[in-house]
Amino acid sequence: MTVENMELKWLLCVTLLALGILALQAHDTDEDNDADDVVDIEDDLDDGIEDVEESKSETSSAPPAPKVTYRPPVPTGEVYFVESFDKGTLDGWVLSRAKKDDTDDEIAKYDGKWEVQDMKETKLPGDKGLVMVTRAKHHAISSKLSKPFVFDTKPLIIQYEVNFQNGIECGGAYVKLLSKTPELNLDQFHDKTPYTIMFGPDKCGEDYKLHFIFRHKNPKTGKYEEKHAKRPDADLKTYFTDKKTHLYTLVLNPDNSFEILVDQTVVNSGNLLNDMSPPVNPPREIEDPNDQKPEDWDERPKIPDPDAVKPDDWDEDAPAKIADENAVKPEGWLDDEPEYVADPDAEKPEDWDEDMDGEWEAPQIANPKCETAPGCGTWQRPMIDNPNYKGKWKPPMIDNVNYQGIWKPRKIPNPDFFEDLEPFKMTPVSAVGLELWSMTSDIFFDNFIICTDRAVADDWASDGWGLKKAADGAAEPGVVGQMMAAAEERPWLWVVYILTVALPVFLVVLFCCSGKKQPSAAEYKKTDAPQPDVVDDEKEEEKDKGEKEEEEEEEDANEEKLEKQKSDADLGSASQEEEEEEEEEDRKPASEEEETVNRSPRNRKPRKD
């Protein structure tokens, strides 16, 4: 086996192993997520959740839905409104008996049906909600807040759940916070009833919306105008089509900021002063409605050149197409044969009346003789572009020296201008209502709360929507279960599973376990032969040891020479110090040369091993 083949084998082996590890990690992650969901359910046993019963049927591949009991959530702080519908009645809610204005009597009534029911495919028996039962009818229901909410120094938090059990074709599931007015009468709640805030999902066709609208009072005129939040950038389609319960939250702060969340994830945010349409505050200046454009105002950036003259040889009458004089009639062209002839097999119908229908003629068909010929009938030369064609002459365009730009009316101060820097201080609200029309039935609402503390809303969501999410997660099968269920419906998937799982394992075993084996440590031990890695290590150690000994010998020799010179200098007399100093200076270069020579690799004494 060549080196290239070995490298290719190991590369393929490593790739397959990496894919296997990634698959195992993904499967373990799914199992961990399922386990976390189960743990969440078990942690809530004190709140009334029972353990999931194990399936007794060995043939069923999908796990059974968890059998749990549900305990209504309890608010953990001050609230202005709270409703879980778990008492099973509509106590505290008022059904509207109003009629829509300017609508036919047959459809003007708010006679849509509301009921408190369990969700159709609930994983939490006992968890009830408000259901808009009927379709293609006007529905209106409302309830008073425990006390009016006044927009001052505390934020406003609105939160509730929606489940489109049958999907949604065209309709809304938004709520309205009804303004506190002396005229407010809940049994006459209709589309014209004044509201302060409208919030929630709405859909028709392929337009998926999440409304946040508030009605702003003009401080100068006293009139109200609807202000719409910008459209969120997030894709909202899934929340309308997956038939799951979703949590909608609006947080409105005294500093005019707002957040819109779905399933506790922010999908839209902004500021009442900057991110509403139309803007809260009008512009300081507007265009003068009485200003008119002068008659001599020239808005033409380009004009025809007035000095241009049509050339003398310009022929405007020349045709765009002319016959090709170089064309030749193809050989075999049948001039005397028409392109279409009467069908010889056609017969006059028996019921044909010439007095009523006229003289009968056989239908026309393509001439069979023309099928093998280049063409039939009178031959005509083909048409080609006329090289002399120029068309109608027009003078070239030049810059207009009198161009004055696009005219606009002058600006004047806006007589309706005002500046409201605190749009958060809206009209107080005293009731919450649902006024809806839908072409789809059985829209499910649950767990309404209006409060000022984010922690209170989060606790309420955890005990309500969070419990639904945990129960749904525990009931969903893992990856293996989903694969098995899919294979039962589509047996051909077993072939895919075998090819994607068994084949890589086989290749890993084949490539990793084949090839030339290296001698084991036991074989080296039996023959007393040095192992390759051991021999290399010993050579490296001997080399390092030899270099270290040479360095030590050189250092010792230098130290001996210096001591000898010092002792000779001490024994000499004072009179001879100058001579010895001169001799010593003479000896220094020699010693340095000697040292240099000694350091040279050529003069090193061989080391006795």
Side-chain angles (χ1 to χ4, degrees), residues 14 54 79 99 137 224 289 319 380 476 554:
V14 171
E54 296 182 355
V79 296
K99 290 184 178 181
K137 288 182 177 293
Y224 286 87
Q380 295 179 350
E476 291 181 356
E554 291 178 0

Side-chain angles (χ1 to χ4, degrees), residues 397-586:
M397 303 297 289
I398 62 173
D399 293 335
N400 183 6
V401 295
N402 297 319
Y403 175 65
Q404 296 173 271
I406 304 300
W407 182 85
K408 292 181 180 180
R410 63 174 176 267
K411 295 284 188 178
I412 61 173
N414 185 0
D416 298 325
F417 173 74
F418 64 84
E419 190 173 39
D420 181 3
L421 299 180
E422 295 180 318
F424 170 79
K425 294 185 177 180
M426 308 174 191
T427 305
V429 297
S430 60
V432 59
L434 298 117
E435 187 267 319
L436 304 169
W437 166 278
S438 176
M439 293 302 295
T440 309
S441 61
D442 296 329
I443 300 178
F444 185 92
F445 300 87
D446 200 6
N447 294 332
F448 290 85
I449 187 171
I450 299 175
C451 61
T452 60
D453 191 341
R454 186 71 172 268
V456 173
D458 290 343
D459 291 342
W460 178 264
S462 177
D463 294 340
W465 174 79
L467 198 59
K468 290 186 179 73
K469 181 181 179 182
D472 290 341
E476 291 181 356
V479 175
V480 176
Q482 293 177 3
M483 293 174 63
M484 297 291 287
E488 286 188 358
E489 297 178 0
R490 306 174 185 84
W492 55 269
L493 286 176
W494 287 112
V495 179
V496 178
Y497 296 162
I498 293 173
L499 292 176
T500 56
V501 178
L503 183 60
V505 173
F506 172 75
L507 293 175
V508 169
V509 174
L510 177 64
F511 281 92
C512 293
C513 298
S514 63
K516 184 178 179 180
K517 296 183 178 179
Q518 297 293 336
S520 63
E523 293 177 353
Y524 280 112
K525 186 173 181 181
K526 290 179 181 180
T527 60
D528 291 335
Q531 299 184 21
D533 55 347
V534 175
V535 173
D536 293 341
D537 293 343
E538 290 178 353
K539 290 181 178 180
E540 291 293 334
E541 291 179 359
E542 291 179 358
K543 182 178 180 181
D544 295 340
K545 186 176 179 181
E547 292 177 354
K548 188 174 182 181
E549 289 179 354
E550 289 179 359
E551 292 177 356
E552 291 178 353
E553 290 178 357
E554 291 178 0
E555 292 177 358
D556 293 341
N558 292 334
E559 289 178 358
E560 291 177 358
K561 291 180 180 180
L562 292 175
E563 290 178 357
K564 183 177 180 181
Q565 293 174 0
K566 185 177 181 181
S567 61
D568 293 339
D570 293 339
L571 295 175
S573 60
S575 60
Q576 297 178 348
E577 286 180 0
E578 295 180 357
E579 297 178 358
E580 291 177 354
E581 288 177 358
E582 294 178 356
E583 293 178 358
E584 186 177 355
E585 290 177 356
D586 295 335

Side-chain angles (χ1 to χ4, degrees), residues 6 188 191 254 367 462:
M6 288 293 294
Q188 293 298 313
D191 59 325
N367 190 344
S462 177

Side-chain angles (χ1 to χ4, degrees), residues 287-297 299 407-410:
E287 294 180 348
D288 185 357
N290 299 320
D291 191 14
Q292 295 181 352
K293 182 174 69 172
E295 294 181 358
D296 58 349
W297 190 276
E299 294 182 331
W407 182 85
K408 292 181 180 180
R410 63 174 176 267

